[in-house]
Amino acid sequence: MTIKINAVAAATALVLGTLSTAANAELLITEYVEGGGFNKAIEISNLGTDTITLDGHYELAHHSVNSKGVAGEVQKLALTGTLQSNKSLIFINSGISGPYATKDTPETKALVAAIKANSTADNKVINFNGNDSVVLLKDGAVIDSIGQLGKPSKDAWTEGSFSTKDKTLRRKTSVTTGDTDTSDAYPGTGLSQWEVKEKDTLDGLGCPGEDACTSTATPGVLLITEYIEGTGAKERNRAIEISNVGGTAIDFSEAEYKLNMFWSGSDTNGKFQDLTGTLDAGASIVFYNSDADDALKKVGSSSATTYFDGDESLTLTKDGVVIDSFGKLGDAPEGGAWTDPNNANFSTQDKTLRRKASVTSGDSNATDNFPGTNNEWVVFDVNTADGLGCAGEEACSTTPVDPDPDAPCNNCADITAIKDPSTFNGDIYYSDVLTGNFNTPEELKNALSAIIAKDHVQLSYSQVWTVLTHADQDPGDATKVRLIYSDTPVAKNSNPGSWNREHVWAKSHGFPDEDQWGYTDAHHLRPANPNVNSTRNNYDFGECGDNGVEQSSKGAPGNCLDTTKGVWEPRDSVKGDVARMILYMDTRYQGTDTATTQMDDLVVVDHVTTGDEDKQPRIGTLCTLYAWNTLDPVDDFEKNRNNEVYKYQGNRNPFIDRPELVKEVYGAACGDDPTPTLEVEGEITAPETVTEGSAFTLDASALTAGEDKTLTFKWEQISGEEKTVVGTEAVLTLTAPMVDADSALKFTLTVSDGSLEASKVVNLPVTNVPLTLDVSFDGNIKLTEGDSTTITAVITDAPEGLTYSWKQVSGDAAKFTATGLKLDVTSPQVNISQALVFELTASSDDDSFKTTVSIDVENTEEAGWVKPDGAGSFGGFIALLLPLMWRRRRA
């Protein structure tokens, strides 16, 4: 896949592009991004011919301005390392994400992942708005700048299409020297130095020049990036971090990915963890020991693969093939840990180890020495856990970032309302259902599906952030959202971090890709604590058993996880919310508009999905959810949420608007049929099969419906769409019809007690008996050419009603006439002796029988014909030729 992105894989330099410039050029600011949310970046390029040493000389400074245009504090970032000629450095805000104007795509994700992998994040300097100034210094002297110090703008510096707010600016290739006067008017004469690009244009980061950078997106690369073997209250502070250090997302449903742990010295026994869902480029998965201290459980979920003590080995496998490893498989190290003779601090016991950022491929040889001569690990003190959740050698960034006052939350995209809930009329919206006649619950569900699909507009995954800030707003505080499982309010602007987007219908159950509509359907996406979200994972919904664990330690009291049963039970006050969201998804995605939605038919099943079902469009458990719908009725929060999603997505959840529809659609499947039927016990006695033309009996006299109930019976035979009443007693006796081939009779028995009734279908196979006749032939069947004969067929015990027909099926055409069983034949003149074969067909109304008779005809030599002399070459040739011709003619 070739796409436009800013840089190559993390193993390469931070830069791309070529440019010929003046030899005396210094560093320049070559790109400036001030976009939505935290899409903020600065690109600095070396436009000279020599490599520049940055350490101790160069700084990037941010001069902030408050909302009144008054200058504030100055934040500085020291540039380190070296920068080659015609290469670029990227400095970003860690919250940078994909373009908001369009739906996120794999290309967008790869672009942002590559930017993050090949850049330096600094949330103080790279946190400017359009009225702040950015200055590049060398040894304290200004060598380039954006903005005007001393006269800050209250909003942005603008002129024509040029603006330092909501724009991307790229330095023109003709510019080789910087703007060193920070007090002159801005942009002033420097206006002609910049190409103006649309908001959130990111594809030029990483190379100088006016055009987008181009390269090939690197595939996803899965590595073990952090290992913690620590102490703690239960001596079980253990964790493993797995990261995607490549350029594109990894879909774990496309292969079997596993994390495997092997006991010390073993290469067969141990624990394993299946990897599910998708892992975006640059993202990480964390597994921790269930007995670890809470400080180690801030991200991730528990896994038995963390039951190591320092001398166990680990592997990552894809379809059974090792793609990365830790330790030496099959080896028990001395002293209970692997150590490095070249690094006395290195140990796999009582240490935290992080994979070096330079490592971009896994150790696929699980039996080689560990850590080997090229140790890929950075060592940290015991119980260091601040790096869990992000790849790299440093701690994960926890620096607070001031929210963008113009954005509803971090990573929130701009979105425009398309519906007005105040004008919504349910009688009109659901009129096709309210006035329709439906024979089955499935017909009703299909009609509902058509209604809620009609005006549904697909959201981008970024737009979902925005919708949730409205739909799940805390009723008591407009700056916060309320978390579905934890029931706690958190600041809208604390995402991602304090809250993320929970797919209530787990996305791995049928729609793992963002381009599938269910992935971004806000009716089932809810704010959740990331740790709780990870713990819920993709479990079905159901009632916990004796092995269920209440989730108070995760900040979600009232919720329960039962890994033995494989179910997650939410707190009581949202059980109905969960049920109605799941039933909405089951109804909305019926598989009828797959070409548009890329969605298969989602089905709620009445059991816990296992094995292969985990990746199918299935989730459980139906009748538990049905009961939860009654236990927790629709409340005002849910009604308001339905209105807010409707406002931006255009469709509604019918089970919130019309709660009675839950019973109409799902009641019968869960023993709460809105149209109850008679409960009948007993069996109908019927033969397994019946032969055509023979009598048979269907006996329903054993059926009962209670001691005091008198039953009536109605037997109907089904032919196509029509039904014919063939009996009104418990016992039905009929004769099977004559059939051309094996077939079946279908009967419906309706049993009634006078108020309720029940029906059962009986299928009765009917066996066809082929027509068989005993036939012999009278008459002369040996003729000389030109002679005539009469052949008469004699049939023993011929049934009445047969008709007969004759035809010649072999030999030279003869003259013949036939009447009934009599055949008159005059043989033709023949060149060689041969057989004439005639076929007799005897037919009844629905069957037939065929047999043949053969008449031999002898060739007679013509008068005056003389056998040629065998002498001479010609005669000899004829002598040889005639037998050949004879054989050929006989053949």
Side-chain angles (χ1 to χ4, degrees), residues 658-669:
R658 300 276 178 172
E660 70 276 8
L661 290 174
V662 175
K663 184 174 183 178
E664 295 292 329
V665 176
Y666 297 99

Side-chain angles (χ1 to χ4, degrees), residues 522-604:
H523 279 297
H524 85 116
L525 282 153
R526 298 290 294 268
N529 177 287
N531 196 19
V532 179
N533 188 356
S534 178
T535 302
R536 185 254 154 156
N537 203 338
N538 65 347
Y539 288 106
D540 288 0
F541 293 101
E543 303 282 352
C544 279
D546 294 339
N547 295 313
V549 178
E550 205 261 355
Q551 298 295 304
S552 293
S553 63
K554 296 291 180 65
N559 297 266
C560 177
L561 174 62
D562 190 332
T563 56
T564 302
K565 292 181 66 176
V567 297
W568 173 267
E569 180 179 350
R571 56 193 175 91
D572 288 347
S573 58
V574 294
K575 283 180 175 175
D577 304 52
V578 168
R580 288 178 284 274
M581 284 185 280
I582 294 295
L583 299 181
Y584 159 83
M585 294 292 284
D586 175 66
T587 301
R588 168 63 184 91
Y589 300 104
Q590 290 284 86
T592 55
D593 54 354
T594 298
T596 299
T597 65
Q598 305 301 307
M599 294 287 291
D600 292 327
D601 181 13
L602 299 187
V603 178
V604 190

Side-chain angles (χ1 to χ4, degrees), residues 692 737-744 766-771 844-848:
E692 61 178 354
M738 305 300 294
V739 293
D740 293 332
D742 290 352
S743 56
V766 178
T767 303
N768 166 254
V769 179
L771 178 63
S844 64
D845 291 338
D846 53 14
D847 210 347
S848 63

Side-chain angles (χ1 to χ4, degrees), residues 236-397:
R236 285 294 178 185
N237 279 354
R238 315 281 193 261
I240 285 291
E241 174 189 88
I242 299 170
S243 302
N244 178 2
V245 301
T248 54
I250 298 174
D251 184 352
F252 293 130
S253 68
E254 294 179 350
E256 184 181 61
Y257 288 86
K258 289 181 180 290
L259 173 64
N260 312 277
M261 188 275 288
F262 300 88
W263 303 117
S264 178
S266 173
D267 60 0
T268 56
N269 299 321
K271 302 290 185 179
F272 70 89
Q273 175 72 51
D274 287 315
L275 304 184
T276 60
T278 59
L279 186 62
D280 290 340
S284 302
I285 301 171
V286 174
F287 297 110
Y288 54 73
N289 192 293
S290 58
D291 288 332
D293 293 345
D294 288 344
L296 214 67
K297 297 179 179 180
K298 292 182 178 179
V299 294
S301 58
S302 63
S303 172
T305 55
T306 60
Y307 291 173
F308 47 77
D309 290 307
D311 56 354
E312 282 76 24
S313 56
L314 298 152
T315 64
L316 272 178
T317 57
K318 177 183 179 181
D319 288 335
V321 178
V322 175
I323 58 176
D324 196 15
S325 60
F326 183 95
K328 183 178 180 181
L329 191 63
D331 183 34
E334 294 183 6
W338 279 283
T339 58
D340 185 353
N342 299 316
N343 183 352
N345 193 35
F346 179 92
S347 176
T348 54
Q349 193 172 73
D350 293 339
K351 294 291 183 182
T352 289
L353 307 177
R354 293 184 193 147
R355 204 71 166 267
K356 293 179 180 178
S358 59
V359 179
T360 57
S361 60
D363 179 4
S364 58
N365 185 357
T367 59
D368 59 353
N369 290 329
F370 184 81
T373 56
N374 183 23
N375 194 330
E376 298 179 342
W377 299 88
V378 180
V379 185
F380 294 87
D381 290 338
V382 64
N383 294 333
T384 301
D386 57 3
L388 286 177
C390 62
E393 303 169 24
E394 307 298 331
C396 299
S397 175

Side-chain angles (χ1 to χ4, degrees), residues 372-563:
T373 56
N374 183 23
N375 194 330
E376 298 179 342
W377 299 88
V378 180
V379 185
F380 294 87
D381 290 338
V382 64
N383 294 333
T384 301
D386 57 3
L388 286 177
C390 62
E393 303 169 24
E394 307 298 331
C396 299
S397 175
T398 58
T399 304
V401 178
D402 293 333
D404 183 345
D406 296 326
C409 66
N410 297 342
N411 301 310
C412 286
D414 295 333
I415 191 169
T416 303
I418 59 175
K419 296 288 186 179
D420 182 0
S422 66
T423 64
F424 173 72
N425 185 320
D427 291 339
I428 296 175
Y429 188 79
Y430 296 107
S431 61
D432 288 348
V433 163
L434 299 178
T435 62
N437 293 314
F438 306 102
N439 295 319
T440 65
E442 191 68 16
E443 288 183 9
L444 172 58
K445 190 166 85 165
N446 286 332
L448 274 176
S449 181
I451 290 171
I452 61 179
K454 183 178 179 182
D455 294 324
H456 184 173
V457 173
Q458 185 184 20
L459 301 176
S460 73
Y461 204 32
S462 295
Q463 288 173 328
V464 169
W465 285 120
T466 310
V467 173
L468 298 191
T469 63
H470 299 293
D472 292 88
Q473 179 174 295
D474 181 39
D477 189 340
T479 68
K480 297 178 180 180
V481 291
R482 186 161 287 275
L483 307 184
I484 180 172
Y485 301 129
S486 305
D487 193 29
T488 54
V490 297
K492 294 179 179 179
N493 275 320
S494 63
N495 73 305
S498 295
W499 66 280
N500 61 11
R501 295 158 294 190
E502 152 76 336
H503 289 82
V504 177
W505 184 302
K507 60 181 181 289
S508 62
H509 287 244
F511 44 91
D513 301 320
E514 278 193 36
D515 60 347
Q516 295 175 279
W517 284 40
Y519 196 102
T520 61
D521 193 324
H523 279 297
H524 85 116
L525 282 153
R526 298 290 294 268
N529 177 287
N531 196 19
V532 179
N533 188 356
S534 178
T535 302
R536 185 254 154 156
N537 203 338
N538 65 347
Y539 288 106
D540 288 0
F541 293 101
E543 303 282 352
C544 279
D546 294 339
N547 295 313
V549 178
E550 205 261 355
Q551 298 295 304
S552 293
S553 63
K554 296 291 180 65
N559 297 266
C560 177
L561 174 62
D562 190 332
T563 56

Side-chain angles (χ1 to χ4, degrees), residues 441 622-623 626 661-675:
L622 172 61
C623 292
Y626 183 82
L661 290 174
V662 175
K663 184 174 183 178
E664 295 292 329
V665 176
Y666 297 99
C670 295
D672 188 21
D673 196 340
T675 55

